[in-house]
Amino acid sequence: MNEKENKQEIDQNLVRKGNLVQNQEKINDHIEEERREQVNFANQEIGEDVTQYGEFVSTYFAWVPPTKQKQRANELEEMTKPENKEEKTDKK
């Protein structure tokens, strides 16, 4: 091997090594992002079936805050509204 070929091979190896390092950094960033998401999920407030005063909450899964209760009530109200005035008069 002459000096020129040797230098080209060294340069190619350096490029490969740089690409490998960049790929590993991307993988590490992805792993770190997943770890952050898992920590955030674990730190989210988990619902309870009792209030801070020991009263049992009668929802199936967990306590539902008043804002969500109101939002759900509005959704149900919209679902049951008659489509037109004729339907209102027929029901009376």
Side-chain angles (χ1 to χ4, degrees):
M1 237 190 234
N2 64 28
E3 191 175 316
K4 186 177 181 182
E5 289 173 346
N6 196 14
K7 186 173 180 353
Q8 285 177 342
E9 188 176 337
I10 290 172
D11 289 344
Q12 288 174 350
N13 286 338
L14 286 174
V15 168
R16 284 188 208 114
K17 185 176 181 181
N19 289 340
L20 290 173
V21 168
Q22 287 176 344
N23 288 341
Q24 189 61 47
E25 287 174 348
K26 287 179 185 177
I27 291 169
N28 289 345
D29 290 343
H30 181 71
I31 291 171
E32 181 63 23
E33 181 63 29
E34 282 187 18
R35 188 194 65 75
R36 275 193 226 112
E37 287 176 11
Q38 289 174 350
V39 168
N40 287 341
F41 180 76
N43 288 336
Q44 286 178 348
E45 184 178 335
I46 298 173
E48 299 175 1
D49 59 353
V50 292
T51 66
Q52 66 183 19
Y53 304 108
E55 301 164 322
F56 178 75
V57 179
S58 62
T59 54
Y60 181 76
F61 290 106
W63 173 261
V64 180
T67 54
K68 287 193 179 189
Q69 288 178 7
K70 185 173 182 175
Q71 180 184 6
R72 183 66 179 144
N74 288 337
E75 289 172 6
L76 293 172
E77 186 177 339
E78 282 296 316
M79 283 182 208
T80 58
K81 277 188 179 177
E83 300 245 347
N84 56 38
K85 290 183 180 182
E86 289 177 13
E87 289 182 21
K88 277 186 181 179
T89 57
D90 290 345
K91 291 183 180 181
K92 288 184 180 181

